[in-house]
Amino acid sequence: MKKIYLIGIGPGSPDYLTVQAINTMKKVDVFFFLEKEGQKDLLKIRQEILEKYLEKGSYLIVTAKIPTRKRRKLYTEEVEIWRQQKAEVIFELIRDKMEDDEIASFLVWGDPSLYDGQIEILQQIHKEGKVDFEYEVIPGITSIQVLTAKHKIPLNRIGETIVITTGRKLKEYPPDEVVNTVVLLDNYSTFRRFKDEDIDIYWGGYLGTEDEILLSGKLKDIIEEIKKIRRESKNKKGWLMDTYILRRKEHLEK
């Protein structure tokens, strides 16, 4: 039977792979690379990971382009349609690009369980039963873990809730509810909503890569610097992955 591994590879550096991830990669016959428009750097990093840990000639790489997500009025509809299109590409890879007794893998940025979608996509393909396969998920280090390590801060504080959300959802949060909030996938620079609040920000761009950028301080003091860096980075590379934490000190004073 065909077998698929979703392997979390961390946020960019080969050093962030777990021993479990490396050992699993050594079993794989075919690696499926999903190419997003304008993000060839991410394919290059995956290639470098394979070259570092695997013997040359011991595996095959198959690259397939996935459609660009089209903006729609309803976000949930937009994502559902895009995931269905992506599922068709993945289904065809499993059906046509591996033999019945082979093992294949998708190298997932960060961890497969956090804002990725490939677990749900594989579940749906498996449920439809059009192709016979089994799958396993190998966890990876997230950008959140790298961010807190680089800034030398704990993720949690005593007796406090941690909120992990996206820039799109952060738009809906009242300022007084932002106490210890981790934000991913923020294409909108939503932190601007809180520029007048007494909030610290711990920001990281391209975490785990050679282009890594770190900034921290009072949001009101460094917000213009972050906006400038985000703008210049996107213009230079064509893409930006950033993660940040918004945190109030007042919690510790109660």
Side-chain angles (χ1 to χ4, degrees), residues 151 153 197-203 214-223 225-226 245-249:
H151 282 295
I153 58 172
E197 298 290 320
D198 187 16
I199 290 179
D200 292 333
I201 186 168
Y202 299 89
W203 183 89
L214 297 169
L215 286 172
S216 65
K218 288 286 183 188
L219 177 59
K220 63 181 69 174
D221 294 337
I222 65 173
I223 187 170
E225 185 178 2
I226 293 175
I245 296 174
L246 297 176
R247 178 171 287 179
R248 292 183 186 272
K249 287 185 178 179

Side-chain angles (χ1 to χ4, degrees), residues 171-235:
K171 292 179 179 181
E172 304 171 7
Y173 280 70
D176 60 354
E177 290 187 11
V178 177
V179 177
N180 189 30
T181 304
V182 181
V183 185
L184 302 99
L185 305 174
D186 187 2
N187 293 322
Y188 317 95
S189 296
T190 313
F191 52 81
R192 294 179 298 179
R193 289 189 61 227
F194 310 97
K195 63 183 177 64
D196 297 323
E197 298 290 320
D198 187 16
I199 290 179
D200 292 333
I201 186 168
Y202 299 89
W203 183 89
Y206 307 113
L207 288 165
T209 73
E210 60 184 14
D211 299 309
E212 181 178 272
I213 311 168
L214 297 169
L215 286 172
S216 65
K218 288 286 183 188
L219 177 59
K220 63 181 69 174
D221 294 337
I222 65 173
I223 187 170
E224 293 303 322
E225 185 178 2
I226 293 175
K227 287 162 60 177
K228 179 183 177 183
I229 287 175
R230 292 185 90 257
R231 182 173 60 252
E232 291 176 348
S233 297
K234 280 190 172 183
N235 288 339

Side-chain angles (χ1 to χ4, degrees), residues 70-182:
K70 295 182 179 179
R71 299 297 179 187
R72 300 177 187 272
K73 189 173 292 186
L74 293 176
Y75 175 77
T76 52
E77 178 186 8
E78 172 186 320
V79 174
E80 286 173 1
I81 292 173
W82 180 68
R83 282 192 178 183
Q84 182 56 46
Q85 294 170 336
K86 189 175 177 181
E88 292 173 5
V89 173
I90 292 174
F91 163 71
E92 290 175 359
L93 288 172
I94 297 172
R95 183 191 63 188
D96 301 334
K97 300 300 181 180
M98 59 183 300
E99 301 297 329
D100 287 340
D101 59 346
E102 284 189 322
I103 296 173
S105 174
F106 295 90
L107 302 180
V108 180
W109 204 256
D111 181 83
S113 70
L114 190 62
Y115 294 115
D116 179 70
Q118 290 204 62
I119 293 177
E120 291 97 333
I121 289 173
L122 272 189
Q123 287 173 341
Q124 183 59 37
I125 296 172
H126 191 266
K127 183 178 179 180
E128 290 173 355
K130 295 179 181 178
V131 58
D132 194 19
F133 69 96
E134 58 182 4
Y135 65 94
E136 289 187 30
V137 178
I138 307 299
I141 291 174
T142 68
S143 62
I144 300 171
Q145 293 164 281
V146 176
L147 181 73
T148 54
K150 289 302 180 74
H151 282 295
K152 301 177 184 177
I153 58 172
L155 180 59
N156 65 298
R157 299 182 294 186
I158 298 171
E160 181 181 59
T161 299
I162 304 166
V163 175
I164 300 177
T165 189
T166 63
R168 183 182 64 84
K169 295 297 291 183
L170 186 64
K171 292 179 179 181
E172 304 171 7
Y173 280 70
D176 60 354
E177 290 187 11
V178 177
V179 177
N180 189 30
T181 304
V182 181

